[in-house]
Amino acid sequence: MEFAELIKTPRVDGVVLHRPFMPTVEGTLCLTGHHLILSSRQDNTEELWLLHANIDSTEKRFVGSLGTIIVKCKDLRVIQLDIPGMEECLNIASSIEALSTLDSVSLMYPFFYRPLFEVIEDGWQSFAPEESFRDLESMTDEWRLSEVNKDFSVCPSYPSLLTVPKDIDDESLCKAASFRHGGRFPVLSYYHKKNGMVMMRAAQPLTGTNGRRCKEDEKLINATLCAGKRGYIIDTRTIAVAQQAKARGGGFEQEANYPQWRRIHKAIERSNVLQDSLIKLVEACNDQSHSMDRWLSKLEASNWQSNVKEILTTACLAAQCIDREGASVLVHGTEGTDSTLQVTSLAQIILDPACRTIRGFEALIEREWLQAGHPFHQRCAQSAYSNGKPRSEAPVFLLFLDCVWQILRQFPCSFQFNENLLIMLFEHAYTSQFGTFLGNCVAERGKLQLSQKTVSLWSWVNRPQELERFLNPLYEPNNLVIWPSVAPQSLLLWEGVFLRWNRSTKCLDEAYQEMVHIIEYNKELQNKVNSLRRQLAQLETEDKMVADLK
Amino acid sequence: MEHIRMPKVENVRLVDRSSSRRTHVGTLYLTATHTIFVGEGSEDRNELWVLHSLVCNVVKHKASQSGYPLLIHCKNFQVIQFIIPQESDCHDVYISLSRLSRPEKYEELYCFSFNPNVDKAEREHSWDFLDLKAEYSRMGLPNKLWHVTPINREYRVCDTYPADLFVPKSVTLPVIVGSSKFRSRGRFPTLSYYCKENHATICRSSQPLSGFSARCLEDEQMLQAIMKSNPGSRFMYVVGTRPKLNAMANRAAGKGYENEDNYCNIKFQFIGIENIHVMRNSQQKLIEVSALRSPSMGEFLTGLENSDWLRHIKSIMEAGLFISKAVAEEGVSVLVHCSDGWDRTAQVCSVASVLLDPYYRTLKGLMVLIEKDWVSFGHMFSHRCGHLIGEAKEVSPVIDQFLECVWQLMEQFPCAFEYSEKFLISIHNHIYSCHYGNFICNSQKERKDLILCIIKEKAHSIWLHLWEKKLDFMNPLFKPDQSQNQGLLRPSTAPYCFKYWRRLYNRFDRELHPRQSELDCLMTVKEETQQLEEELALYEQKMAVLDKERAKTLYMQKGVLDSKQALWSLPLDISLANTPQDYIGGAPNLCLFGDQTKSSDADNSDQESGVADFSSHSSGEESLPSEDSVKDPDSDETAM
């Protein structure tokens, strides 16, 4: 298909662009296959380059022959285009509509994007599973890397290499896989060096109504327990939801069959509920009534902050079991691709200082989200302004980022990265020129040949020029486990994402600049003082030598 | 002391608010001024001091297995729970504390027994620290249009006003007297803030006694004079800070608001702020929300909404913004009043001043502002803060709301304030603690008449004390020259810009606050920077001296040194790169996290101590034991 077919009017002059907190721009609107471009052709005004894929929904209005298109983006920005001429406006609107809802992944911009920078380190190769296994091997020999899923036939959403207990053979893995939803048998997620405890993740067991059991599954998870020790199974669903799942063939681990494990149920919402929560939250943030009561009641009704609290609490619980109880943990919900990953990745941020570095955080996202088979393509197809019936969209990853931001706010010196990195990840998960977040799992990405045909987000982020923007000037490595507060008073609304387009950030940006300045000036002085001190010392020794020689 | 029935109780348990499973056993002492709890065990110095004057109420709870619980709510939002083994002891402590926390006379207040180690001269000096005359002359007053009227020197025209008042030069004494007779409590229109740049002013008064039709020529002349003292403008605003309905209702009682038809060139503007009773109830609800034990997000947000507290803060901010915009942008003078002109009027005048004038965003400026708009203009601190036993209906968090407005502004303009929220919290604490003499009584006259001698003879002034501790209150991000601190602050009043002030309302719940503070880190860095600057200057000086000497020696020893030349003639940066950095010596080590040595011991560190009860939703599962770590619940101020 040619994009040109979809573009009835490629160019309109005299279009006026309104953006939040920026002066209006009048200029020429151009549509290309992937971009909506508005340029005034003057040097001093900023151009607009908007990826069609970033457009969540549009609205049109007419006053006489002046048409207006309201463009609502997946990054939550709302812009307005005033287009003279009814026909032009209708054409533009229908083109945008068509171009922003292309179904075929291979028509997406990452397949057309050519970087303007030289790729020094290929992000597609940056986080190989073999590498993290080597790290694990240096700490313990209890685990092995299995190739049982080499052709993705055992579990289509898992990667080809999986870390499993050494004593469990591939045949048992296959049997355990047939007992777990989507074939997602228990695999290693995290090894806690301090006490050798582990966190595993899986999907729900397929016990069904008649209480099926699977010896291999039991053996598999028992193999992770030390002799005489008990472990915790954290089911991210309430007991009621888990019970209901039985009727559809799912279920949870029965005490009788897993006597060494204690099950704890939490209440993380399912993805469709989360999508609704996001839509309501953004609507509350965009409410124009200026009424305090309305704002607070809409914020409350959106349940967003409750979701943040619940996810964070569950992650803290998992971390607590591992670090404080000295027990191993198995985490799962239903499919094991959403709430499970939120919990396992957040627990690692709490427990493992390495995950609080930029590199470590990238590796965590690669490991616990991309490789682990979070269906990014489905979940991020639409954002908060989608007005169609939701299919499988859900802000699962955004909630994870929000939780990370909450921890970052509470430990502002313990992270190597700053809020900008989190916001950038949110944007790129929804729309990007890079191929990293395309597809739903490793198998799909392979088929799409992303590593050959697209550029990895990490190739770009890890360039020193870009990295600087994401560095936290206050960072001081902190090797401790960090326990965030999950009290409602301690959890804030993530303004950097949700109010980003509703208020001017000038003063907050200035404050950030000032913070950077204070720290840089200090470092500069330190260097000066050190070098002077050294010079003085040298001069003094030499004077002494001179005196000695005399 | 006569009121202490039980000076000491042993085996008392102090319940940790964050987790009722944690308690500290110790001894409870009652002194004339403090309740003191000393935890057992010599190693952890675990002491809790609570000033009686900060105690809001004492409640006995139903006996539990472990003893008789006694709950103490403080005015600085601290909540303390003791469990006392014997019922009779509990009752005695309850009776004693109930009496001790409700002084009947000013003389019983803590400021008259507080005796720091300073001599008489120093104490007197502390009272001279702030000078309102200097503040008015900073504004540019007196000038050819405004002067001090001597009319209230003896507090005869208005006993709740200060002695020195600025009025337009053009008004005669009979006009002032006439106007004051037409205003509630005689509080005639007088100047609060003068804007040097455009001569616009903020004036304040109480409501006029206009009823449905009454007029007063002098009052009309007064307003006319105020308007004319701003030569650039052709009208003035009169801002009524009550809801319109309340103001109209007041007309039936012979009071009310200015009729635009009777006054030349005034524009009347209602900006509804609720009365002290509504505010008191609102804060009470907010406090209940803040003190909920592990609430759900829904309970918290619903509670916050139902308290209406942030709605009130927003309305005060909006009133302040309206006035400051009128003054700065339109160059129009404003007269502000509510009913009596000492609560809402004080709030909005001072909020407007903070928005208008960068000076009030400095430490000293905020002190001066509170001294001027609140203390001197007769905000009834003793009634509003409940310093003495009296009418509960008079208590209201009017000044709390002003301090909170400043805090909300700090959130929006992080570089605009010289002080940090610690300063506001400290002021809040001292307004209620009666630790210093500044906020005692309800007006300047009362302060002078009744206990002038004892205030100045015995009590100390807070301002010098705060000034001496100013390093603790500094905002490291403050940039006086930055754009956000030039002239008028224009805060957004969108509802989402108003936040819950956790640091104030959950001040004593340490587990709720960030474990690392950005501002504290930056302050440490800045202090270190200052030391580095001094060190650098010292080295440069030394270097210069050495260079001179060397030039001499070199000239004389040239031949000898040739072989060694390479050592020190290398370019500086290369020699730097080739040597490991040496931090040993004079430079203090950068220590961002305070006590680093302590944090290496993982189990005792503050960051790790906050394992909350995460398993509370675990559907009947036995909850996990959480880390027991002893915290010192003692606060800096209550301990003094």
Side-chain angles (χ1 to χ4, degrees):
Chain A
M1 186 189 63
E2 287 295 316
F3 293 120
E5 289 168 25
L6 300 174
I7 304 172
K8 291 173 204 154
T9 305
R11 249 188 78 150
V12 189
D13 289 324
V15 174
V16 180
L17 164 71
H18 305 270
R19 282 181 287 188
F21 299 101
M22 287 173 119
T24 54
V25 179
E26 186 179 339
T28 305
L29 177 74
C30 297
L31 290 187
T32 72
H34 290 108
H35 284 96
L36 181 157
I37 302 160
L38 189 125
S39 164
S40 64
R41 303 200 178 165
Q42 280 158 6
D43 295 339
N44 50 1
T45 53
E46 234 187 295
E47 293 184 336
L48 171 75
W49 282 73
L50 187 70
L51 268 178
H52 295 313
N54 191 358
I55 296 171
D56 211 19
S57 68
T58 56
E59 282 167 29
K60 21 183 206 294
R61 282 203 299 256
F62 290 97
V63 180
S65 69
L66 180 76
T68 293
I69 305 179
I70 312 274
V71 179
K72 297 181 174 178
C73 303
K74 288 177 187 162
D75 62 14
L76 308 182
R77 170 172 38 159
V78 178
I79 60 175
Q80 181 184 331
L81 296 163
D82 296 339
I83 301 173
M86 190 181 292
E87 199 193 329
E88 283 85 352
C89 185
L90 285 170
N91 284 345
I92 295 283
S94 75
S95 299
I96 294 178
E97 175 88 37
L99 289 164
S100 61
T101 52
L102 292 177
D103 268 334
S104 165
V105 179
S106 59
L107 289 178
M108 298 284 216
Y109 184 55
F111 290 96
F112 298 81
Y113 170 73
R114 292 291 159 260
L116 291 171
F117 59 88
E118 192 196 342
V119 175
I120 300 164
E121 184 202 333
D122 184 0
W124 290 114
Q125 314 301 332
S126 293
F127 307 100
E130 294 89 338
E131 237 172 83
S132 49
F133 184 72
R134 262 198 298 281
D135 289 347
L136 180 69
E137 265 185 320
S138 69
M139 300 182 275
T140 167
D141 57 0
E142 300 285 302
W143 299 83
R144 70 184 182 95
L145 212 49
S146 165
E147 293 186 5
V148 68
N149 200 36
K150 195 165 56 189
D151 53 3
F152 308 107
S153 60
V154 176
C155 171
S157 63
Y158 267 169
S160 52
L161 293 175
L162 291 155
T163 309
V164 295
K166 202 162 97 189
D167 300 336
I168 306 296
D169 58 21
D170 282 358
E171 202 181 323
S172 305
L173 293 178
C174 291
K175 289 203 178 129
S178 67
F179 182 64
R180 293 276 172 177
H181 189 115
R184 295 176 69 92
F185 57 88
V187 296
L188 180 78
S189 162
Y190 171 68
Y191 178 84
H192 197 44
K193 199 175 169 183
K194 188 164 129 192
N195 58 10
M197 294 300 123
V198 296
M199 179 161 57
M200 290 185 300
R201 53 176 156 76
Q204 63 175 349
L206 302 173
T207 55
T209 39
N210 48 10
R212 251 182 82 202
R213 63 187 286 190
C214 171
K215 291 276 183 198
E216 286 78 8
D217 187 76
E218 293 159 22
K219 209 176 124 200
L220 168 54
I221 68 165
N222 287 341
T224 65
L225 294 177
C226 307
K229 277 265 190 179
R230 279 163 66 106
Y232 290 92
I233 294 173
I234 297 179
D235 192 326
T236 61
R237 307 161 295 179
T238 60
I239 180 78
V241 174
Q243 288 281 9
Q244 285 161 16
K246 282 184 177 175
R248 291 187 299 274
F252 52 87
E253 294 82 356
Q254 296 292 342
E255 283 84 353
N257 302 338
Y258 297 85
Q260 288 169 276
W261 296 81
R262 175 184 287 174
R263 214 177 56 250
I264 303 175
H265 286 275
K266 300 295 290 180
I268 301 182
E269 293 285 2
R270 283 190 57 88
S271 49
N272 55 335
V273 180
L274 299 180
Q275 180 68 6
D276 188 48
S277 170
L278 174 67
I279 291 170
K280 283 188 180 153
L281 173 69
V282 172
E283 200 187 293
C285 293
N286 290 339
D287 186 281
Q288 297 297 320
S289 71
H290 227 73
S291 143
M292 184 63 78
D293 294 354
R294 257 179 94 122
W295 158 245
L296 286 174
S297 70
K298 281 182 146 188
L299 176 66
E300 200 269 312
S302 81
N303 257 329
W304 184 266
Q305 295 296 91
S306 303
N307 289 320
V308 169
K309 178 171 157 66
E310 194 60 33
I311 294 165
L312 210 47
T313 308
T314 311
C316 290
L317 174 68
Q320 193 181 6
C321 290
I322 294 171
D323 187 67
R324 293 299 163 110
E325 294 288 292
S328 286
V329 171
L330 169 67
V331 183
H332 72 72
T334 306
E335 289 101 343
T337 54
D338 296 295
S339 58
T340 305
L341 304 183
Q342 289 172 329
V343 173
T344 57
S345 52
L346 286 167
Q348 291 179 53
I349 285 174
I350 293 165
L351 292 169
D352 184 3
C355 293
R356 298 171 222 144
T357 65
I358 291 196
R359 205 61 192 199
F361 188 61
E362 290 171 0
L364 179 76
I365 287 169
E366 188 70 35
R367 228 173 37 234
E368 290 297 303
W369 291 87
L370 293 160
Q371 302 274 335
H374 174 65
F376 276 100
H377 182 69
Q378 290 178 5
R379 296 287 181 256
C380 302
Q382 296 255 267
S383 162
Y385 299 119
S386 61
N387 32 27
K389 200 165 171 267
R391 286 164 297 180
S392 32
E393 292 83 2
V396 176
F397 186 62
L398 175 58
L399 272 162
F400 158 71
L401 294 174
D402 194 328
C403 292
V404 177
W405 179 79
Q406 305 287 351
I407 309 176
L408 172 62
R409 289 307 309 147
Q410 296 187 28
F411 294 89
C413 308
S414 298
F415 288 79
Q416 192 189 18
F417 52 88
N418 60 21
E419 180 183 6
N420 294 339
L421 184 80
L422 302 174
I423 297 173
M424 183 276 290
L425 286 170
F426 156 62
E427 290 174 338
H428 283 271
Y430 279 85
T431 340
S432 177
Q433 64 269 46
F434 304 107
T436 298
F437 291 109
L438 291 182
N440 290 309
C441 56
V442 175
E444 261 187 61
R445 285 184 203 106
K447 262 185 230 139
L448 290 165
Q449 294 181 289
L450 293 180
S451 61
Q452 292 101 63
K453 293 188 170 169
T454 71
V455 181
S456 161
L457 174 67
W458 312 131
S459 303
W460 172 71
V461 174
N462 288 331
R463 305 171 72 234
Q465 301 93 308
E466 300 301 331
L467 218 46
E468 204 174 323
R469 198 152 55 90
F470 303 121
L471 287 174
N472 175 8
L474 292 171
Y475 178 56
E476 279 284 306
N478 170 4
N479 281 319
L480 300 175
V481 175
I482 52 177
W483 298 108
S485 161
V486 295
Q489 292 98 319
S490 311
L491 300 176
L492 309 170
L493 177 70
W494 189 7
E495 300 182 17
V497 164
F498 299 110
L499 298 177
R500 184 176 175 192
W501 313 103
N502 302 61
R503 57 170 176 48
S504 160
T505 56
K506 190 172 149 269
C507 295
L508 301 178
D509 294 344
E510 278 175 353
Y512 185 79
Q513 286 311 320
E514 179 60 17
M515 183 170 91
V516 172
H517 167 77
I518 289 171
I519 289 165
E520 278 177 0
Y521 178 57
N522 177 279
K523 286 192 182 141
E524 190 189 309
L525 273 184
Q526 230 161 32
N527 287 339
K528 270 194 197 160
V529 165
N530 283 330
S531 88
L532 264 182
R533 193 184 297 146
R534 196 164 305 116
Q535 260 182 298
L536 274 170
Q538 270 172 3
L539 286 176
E540 271 162 15
T541 4
E542 277 175 29
D543 282 351
K544 205 164 154 271
M545 282 202 289
V546 173
D548 290 351
L549 280 171
K550 266 199 273 190
Chain B
M1 274 276 294
E2 48 190 320
H3 307 305
I4 303 171
R5 291 181 165 209
M6 193 64 171
K8 180 177 169 187
V9 188
E10 281 172 342
N11 283 321
V12 171
R13 288 199 289 143
L14 172 68
V15 181
D16 191 322
R17 292 283 299 164
S18 63
S19 153
S20 52
R21 284 190 299 270
R22 286 183 227 173
T23 55
H24 310 295
V25 179
T27 308
L28 185 70
Y29 299 91
L30 288 184
T31 73
T33 55
H34 288 87
T35 303
I36 305 166
F37 174 83
V38 182
E40 271 166 22
S42 51
E43 277 170 48
D44 54 342
R45 192 201 63 86
N46 187 5
E47 279 181 29
L48 174 73
W49 290 58
V50 183
L51 258 179
H52 296 323
S53 46
L54 271 173
V55 173
C56 185
N57 64 49
V58 191
V59 189
K60 276 197 292 182
H61 274 202
K62 256 215 319 274
S64 69
Q65 276 186 334
S66 45
Y68 297 84
L70 192 70
L71 213 61
I72 302 173
H73 291 268
C74 300
K75 293 171 181 173
N76 58 4
F77 313 119
Q78 185 170 22
V79 183
I80 299 155
Q81 190 182 349
F82 292 120
I83 298 178
I84 298 171
Q86 297 297 321
E87 187 177 13
S88 57
D89 290 346
C90 180
H91 185 70
D92 282 346
V93 172
Y94 169 76
I95 294 289
S96 312
L97 255 181
S98 300
R99 174 60 189 87
L100 290 165
S101 63
R102 284 192 191 80
E104 286 162 359
K105 292 179 302 224
Y106 285 122
E107 289 85 339
E108 290 176 36
L109 293 174
Y110 181 51
C111 59
F112 301 116
S113 54
F114 170 59
N115 192 10
N117 194 16
V118 293
D119 60 24
K120 184 166 174 273
E122 258 180 275
R123 193 188 58 238
E124 278 166 5
H125 170 64
S126 79
W127 286 103
D128 300 330
F129 179 66
L130 290 187
D131 175 12
L132 286 185
K133 217 173 253 166
E135 166 57 9
Y136 285 107
S137 79
R138 186 194 67 86
M139 288 185 208
L141 298 180
N143 64 8
K144 62 180 192 301
L145 295 165
W146 293 87
H147 70 161
V148 181
T149 171
I151 200 161
N152 205 38
R153 284 278 148 81
E154 309 294 325
Y155 305 104
R156 283 205 193 106
V157 177
C158 173
D159 59 359
T160 59
Y161 263 173
D164 292 335
L165 289 159
F166 276 89
V167 291
K169 254 188 188 165
S170 54
V171 297
T172 58
L173 295 183
V175 167
I176 299 176
V177 173
S179 170
S180 84
K181 285 187 175 143
F182 190 62
R183 296 271 168 183
S184 278
R185 307 291 302 251
R187 293 173 71 97
F188 59 88
T190 175
L191 180 130
S192 165
Y193 180 75
Y194 172 75
C195 179
K196 229 183 325 201
E197 285 74 31
N198 60 13
H199 310 294
T201 54
I202 302 175
C203 292
R204 57 187 287 176
S205 69
S206 60
Q207 63 187 341
L209 306 175
S210 49
F212 290 102
S213 58
R215 295 183 61 165
C216 167
L217 197 61
E218 290 93 337
D219 195 60
E220 290 162 23
Q221 284 172 345
M222 185 74 166
L223 263 67
Q224 181 76 356
I226 290 172
M227 200 268 291
K228 287 214 163 132
S229 300
N230 178 5
S233 78
R234 312 217 335 248
F235 72 97
M236 71 183 283
Y237 286 110
V238 178
V239 173
T241 55
R242 295 168 294 183
K244 188 166 181 181
L245 215 62
N246 299 18
M248 285 168 68
N250 258 305
R251 290 201 297 197
K255 299 164 184 174
Y257 55 94
E258 291 81 354
N259 183 340
E260 284 187 3
D261 298 337
N262 298 342
Y263 292 82
C264 291
N265 305 315
I266 68 159
K267 285 191 186 173
F268 195 88
Q269 181 78 32
F270 278 111
I271 301 181
I273 300 173
E274 299 289 350
N275 64 29
I276 56 165
H277 312 296
V278 174
M279 299 306 191
R280 178 179 58 246
N281 294 334
S282 171
Q283 195 193 39
Q284 195 45 48
K285 285 186 192 158
L286 182 76
I287 292 169
E288 281 161 23
V289 173
S290 72
L292 286 175
R293 284 210 193 172
S294 42
S296 73
M297 187 58 82
E299 283 167 337
F300 176 74
L301 287 175
T302 309
L304 188 60
E305 182 196 342
N306 290 341
S307 78
D308 265 341
W309 181 255
L310 291 177
R311 182 167 69 82
H312 299 314
I313 297 292
K314 179 165 135 70
S315 65
I316 296 163
M317 189 76 93
E318 279 166 340
L321 188 58
F322 175 86
I323 294 162
S324 60
K325 277 185 168 171
V327 169
E329 290 175 355
E330 295 182 68
V332 171
S333 293
V334 183
L335 171 66
V336 187
H337 67 74
C338 44
S339 302
D340 292 315
W342 51 49
D343 294 314
R344 287 170 274 203
T345 301
Q347 284 176 333
V348 300
C349 285
S350 47
V351 168
S353 301
V354 171
L355 293 170
L356 277 167
D357 195 333
Y359 177 65
Y360 299 124
R361 297 172 223 145
T362 64
L363 275 146
K364 187 129 186 221
L366 185 69
M367 298 180 189
V368 167
L369 185 64
I370 293 175
E371 190 66 28
K372 174 171 76 72
D373 277 357
W374 296 81
V375 177
S376 88
F377 269 106
H379 175 66
M380 304 199 290
F381 279 101
S382 278
H383 283 168
R384 297 292 177 255
C385 305
H387 288 159
L388 298 181
I389 184 164
E391 274 209 66
K393 268 190 358 218
E394 286 293 314
V395 174
S396 186
V398 182
I399 184 108
D400 295 25
Q401 290 181 316
F402 164 64
L403 293 173
E404 179 159 341
C405 283
V406 177
W407 178 79
Q408 301 282 359
L409 288 171
M410 287 162 65
E411 286 287 293
Q412 287 196 43
F413 303 96
C415 301
F417 292 82
E418 188 186 25
Y419 40 86
S420 68
E421 67 178 330
K422 287 181 196 162
F423 188 52
L424 304 179
I425 293 170
S426 199
I427 292 176
H428 179 273
N429 194 72
H430 284 301
I431 285 171
Y432 288 90
S433 73
C434 301
H435 200 140
Y436 291 86
N438 303 70
F439 307 109
I440 311 302
C441 298
N442 294 307
S443 67
Q444 202 177 65
K445 178 170 187 289
E446 235 184 76
R447 237 166 263 131
K448 277 197 180 150
D449 277 8
L450 281 165
I451 46 171
L452 165 81
C453 34
I454 50 171
I455 283 192
K456 295 227 171 160
E457 272 306 299
K458 287 191 167 169
H460 299 256
S461 166
I462 178 73
W463 304 125
L464 185 65
H465 164 73
L466 291 178
W467 183 252
E468 282 164 353
K469 280 178 61 182
K470 70 180 172 195
L471 265 182
D472 296 347
F473 303 128
M474 289 292 204
N475 169 17
L477 293 173
F478 177 54
K479 279 204 90 172
D481 50 342
Q482 200 149 23
S483 63
Q484 58 184 279
N485 206 22
Q486 298 302 306
L488 181 63
L489 290 185
R490 290 180 189 79
S492 162
T493 55
Y496 48 70
C497 291
F498 294 87
K499 299 176 196 162
Y500 169 74
W501 192 1
R502 182 185 59 215
R503 285 274 184 205
L504 182 68
Y505 290 104
N506 292 107
R507 185 176 157 200
F508 294 91
D509 303 314
R510 285 209 290 185
E511 70 286 347
L512 296 187
H513 303 292
R515 307 300 149 86
Q516 297 172 331
S517 152
E518 253 171 48
L519 294 190
D520 287 351
C521 287
L522 287 173
M523 211 58 221
T524 317
V525 173
K526 274 193 118 165
E527 278 164 30
E528 196 212 36
T529 300
Q530 207 184 344
Q531 285 171 331
L532 283 170
E533 276 173 344
E534 285 162 18
E535 205 179 341
L536 188 67
L538 188 79
Y539 285 156
E540 276 168 351
Q541 209 181 353
K542 258 194 188 170
M543 202 70 179
V545 175
L546 263 177
D547 271 353
K548 240 187 235 164
E549 281 178 18
R550 284 191 70 85
K552 255 197 277 178
T553 346
L554 249 185
Y555 180 70
M556 290 158 66
Q557 305 283 341
K558 207 164 188 225
V560 187
L561 258 178
D562 268 353
S563 56
K564 308 280 174 200
Q565 192 119 28
L567 247 184
W568 56 278
S569 61
L570 276 176
L572 183 66
D573 49 346
I574 291 181
S575 64
L576 240 182
N578 284 337
T579 41
Q581 291 217 335
D582 173 19
Y583 294 97
I584 306 159
N589 266 331
L590 181 61
C591 184
L592 287 177
F593 305 109
D595 200 352
Q596 274 286 16
T597 47
K598 189 178 158 199
S599 58
S600 61
D601 177 7
D603 284 29
N604 282 331
S605 84
D606 200 21
Q607 293 170 5
E608 295 217 5
S609 66
V611 186
D613 191 359
F614 299 119
S615 55
S616 53
H617 297 283
S618 58
S619 63
E621 293 278 346
E622 194 184 306
S623 54
L624 298 161
S626 60
E627 174 66 8
D628 244 30
S629 73
V630 179
K631 278 185 194 169
D632 174 17
D634 198 357
S635 93
D636 54 339
E637 273 139 7
T638 46
M640 280 187 300

